Amino acid sequence: MSRTVIHGGLVVTASDEIHADVLIEGGRIAALAAPGTDAATSWSADRRIDATGMYVLPGGVDAHTHMEMPFGGTYAADTFETGTRAAAWGGTTTIVDFAIQTMGRSLREGLDTWHAKADGRCAVDYGFHMILSDVNESSLKEMDRLVAEGVTSFKLFMAYPGVFYSDDGRILRAMQRASGNGGLVMMHAENGIAIDVLVEQALAEGRTDPRYHGDVRKVALEAEATHRAVQLARVAGAPLYVVHVSADEAVDEIAAARHKGLPVFGETCPQYLFLSTDNLAEPGFEGAKYVCSTPLRPREHQEVLWRGLRTNELQVVSTDHCPFCFSGQKEMGRGDFSKIPNGMPGVEHRMDLLHQAVVDGHLSRRRWVEIACASPARMFGLYPKKGTIAPGADADVVIYDPGAEQTISAETHHMAVDYSAYEGRRVTGQVRTVLSRGVPVIEDRAYVGHAGHGTYLPRGTCQYL
Ligand code: URP
Ligand code: ZN
Ligand code: ZN
């Protein structure tokens, strides 16, 4: 059985910061020991990694990605191969992607399609959520089977009428089913029916630029949908996880629900913490690079999101990685913002941007690891296999250099997309080495992994309930 020792580093988990050496055996964490003790010095190893001056972190868990997602007549540009490789470069060793049920088809068919896309191609481990597009008797029954086999979370949309949208009755039925089978409903909370009216009016009045994408997807319509989702979950007696929260008033709705003791959880994404409507308003058609839904908000919302992350009103930061190239894809919406494919690249830079938030004083180091590794693992039934460094856990380990400076750029990133939403941004901190189940994937900033190393992760149910 191969043995690796990581020595000299500061092990940071959601609960602890300790100077400890780490022994890895057969792909799992075998032991931690204080440096220089008999225990640590007696370990024999095939590989020794010097982590002096570095953090030793659990691999990141990105619980919201869309590799190869079909959207608006095109496909997200990262395949499972390129996207998971980019994830590894950024210290993320687990992704949970969204399999899609096509309208009129079964959940099984959608899940099989996503398995076929991912199987044998991933550089790091992966699991699936299921997007429920067609709630009916048969798909409700299928939910039970999926939960039993490890697809334990289901995304529903209050937005995108005619595509993914479910009305309140369908949402209530899915939530009732989830309350019985242990599934977790993930909600895209925007009032899509009202948004579509505003889109039509904007276009008719000649307001066609990317900035109007942000204008029509109003804060009130995110907050209203969040409130409605909470009430429906309350009626169903089901837990609720609100995805990609961007508006201050939506945070307020989640906080109010949690203060009442309801099992309501919230996720935000780096784009809402670091970017704003200023980006959507960039000159020419540049704003298209930042079109995603929920949309970027005015800068003032950022402080509310940071506060929500500090006070646990929000529990998880995922990327909602859904990259479309500017050239040929985002450009589909020139002259009509509603035709710009919704989504942004980000899987590679979540850990670094959140480390920058540590440097800037928004988060503590442990909270960084909590929202990026431990909480998403717990939320989606992967803990403590993923999300921590403790005996028995998978040896998904990141050796992180907290002092390295880097400039984020499309020139140097590894995502298969022709722009960076953070072009030119200087950040402090960078991944040095990444192990996935004890196997090096990134070694001293060189990719040494391979497609097919990543394995499928059947998941348990939410561990916060
Ligand atoms: O704009 C986004 N977020 N695209 C991906 C699909 C979704 O709603 O998460
Ligand atoms: Zn969504
Ligand atoms: Zn998404």
Side-chain angles (χ1 to χ4, degrees):
M1 207 184 282
S2 100
R3 285 161 66 101
T4 299
V5 169
I6 303 170
H7 60 91
L10 178 69
V11 176
V12 184
T13 65
S15 55
D16 297 297
E17 300 187 3
I18 42 171
H19 286 283
D21 294 352
V22 180
L23 174 65
I24 295 167
E25 210 170 48
R28 298 226 173 129
I29 308 290
L32 277 74
T37 55
D38 287 352
T41 49
S42 69
W43 290 337
S44 61
D46 310 296
R47 180 188 298 118
R48 288 183 182 275
I49 300 175
D50 183 1
T52 306
M54 307 276 160
Y55 298 156
V56 180
L57 310 172
V61 178
D62 189 342
H64 190 152
T65 67
H66 300 279
M67 307 303 172
E68 302 176 43
M69 183 191 181
F71 193 102
T74 187
Y75 285 84
D78 263 315
T79 61
F80 278 88
E81 181 168 349
T82 61
T84 55
R85 193 162 61 212
W89 272 104
T92 287
T93 51
T94 302
I95 63 160
V96 190
D97 203 87
F98 287 82
I100 300 181
Q101 176 201 21
T102 307
M103 189 59 86
R105 311 300 261 270
S106 66
L107 302 189
R108 172 70 51 203
E109 191 178 329
L111 187 57
D112 286 350
T113 304
W114 256 257
H115 272 297
K117 290 181 200 233
D119 189 26
R121 296 192 174 86
C122 292
V124 297
D125 291 350
Y126 62 98
F128 291 125
H129 313 285
M130 189 83 222
I131 288 179
L132 269 182
S133 315
D134 192 359
V135 178
N136 56 44
E137 267 319 302
S138 153
S139 55
L140 287 169
K141 283 199 189 107
E142 279 195 284
M143 281 175 78
D144 300 353
R145 291 197 283 275
L146 260 57
V147 171
E149 68 183 62
V151 178
T152 55
S153 37
F154 301 88
K155 185 175 178 191
L156 285 118
F157 288 76
M158 301 170 111
Y160 304 128
V163 189
F164 296 126
Y165 173 81
S166 292
D167 64 22
D168 290 356
R170 289 188 174 87
I171 289 170
L172 182 63
R173 280 181 200 282
M175 286 174 164
Q176 287 170 331
R177 199 78 189 195
S179 93
N181 65 25
L184 179 60
V185 168
M186 308 170 78
M187 189 59 73
H188 181 129
E190 287 187 292
N191 185 328
I193 301 283
I195 286 169
D196 274 10
V197 172
L198 299 180
V199 169
E200 201 184 301
Q201 291 170 349
L203 294 175
E205 289 160 15
R207 291 183 281 127
T208 59
D209 290 349
R211 77 178 69 183
Y212 298 110
H213 170 84
D215 264 17
V216 298
R217 303 188 89 92
K218 303 220 174 276
V219 166
L221 297 178
E222 183 184 343
E224 181 277 327
T226 306
H227 181 82
R228 190 157 32 100
V230 168
Q231 300 312 319
L232 291 170
R234 186 175 158 203
V235 168
L240 172 70
Y241 177 93
V242 185
V243 295
H244 48 53
V245 174
S246 67
D248 53 3
E249 291 180 30
V251 178
D252 294 344
E253 294 292 343
I254 292 167
R258 290 178 62 79
H259 294 165
K260 284 199 186 97
L262 295 170
V264 172
F265 308 99
E267 160 203 277
T268 191
C269 312
Q271 52 269 34
Y272 307 120
L273 295 162
F274 290 92
L275 304 173
S276 73
T277 42
D278 296 350
N279 299 98
L280 269 174
E282 283 178 14
F285 192 61
E286 288 294 294
K289 294 176 176 174
Y290 309 95
V291 165
C292 59
S293 297
T294 56
L296 301 184
R297 301 291 181 194
R299 234 167 238 293
E300 310 81 84
H301 292 250
Q302 292 171 359
E303 197 37 58
V304 179
L305 297 173
W306 286 122
R307 196 189 61 212
L309 286 170
R310 281 193 297 274
T311 59
N312 207 37
E313 286 167 355
L314 301 172
Q315 295 73 36
V316 171
V317 176
S318 308
T319 58
D320 195 6
H321 176 76
C322 191
F324 297 100
C325 287
F326 183 73
S327 169
Q329 292 192 298
K330 290 287 187 183
E331 281 178 336
M332 291 160 70
R334 273 191 197 278
D336 178 351
F337 68 83
S338 74
K339 295 206 164 59
I340 301 168
N342 284 203
M344 283 175 48
V347 75
E348 190 168 344
H349 295 118
R350 183 182 65 123
M351 297 295 284
D352 290 333
L353 288 164
L354 292 177
H355 180 259
Q356 185 59 42
V358 174
V359 172
D360 294 343
H362 291 297
L363 300 171
S364 70
R365 267 192 304 227
R366 277 172 286 162
R367 187 62 179 161
W368 167 44
V369 172
E370 189 165 23
I371 61 180
C373 312
S375 294
R378 279 207 168 99
M379 192 66 70
F380 296 107
L382 289 167
Y383 195 87
K385 182 177 169 67
K386 305 295 187 188
T388 192
I389 294 181
D394 280 359
D396 290 2
V397 181
V398 175
I399 316 296
Y400 196 82
D401 182 348
E405 305 236 319
Q406 57 166 320
T407 304
I408 299 176
S409 171
E411 301 274 297
T412 47
H413 76 202
H414 303 86
M415 300 175 284
V417 59
D418 62 358
Y419 76 94
S420 171
Y422 305 97
E423 188 65 42
R425 187 178 289 258
R426 299 274 297 161
V427 292
T428 304
Q430 191 172 48
V431 167
R432 274 234 69 79
T433 290
V434 177
L435 307 180
S436 164
R437 283 176 280 106
V439 177
V441 183
I442 304 290
E443 202 164 17
D444 282 329
R445 295 217 51 75
Y447 180 72
V448 294
H450 66 270
H453 166 80
T455 58
Y456 171 66
L457 297 164
R459 296 179 291 111
T461 53
C462 174
Q463 294 163 300
Y464 280 109
L465 300 171

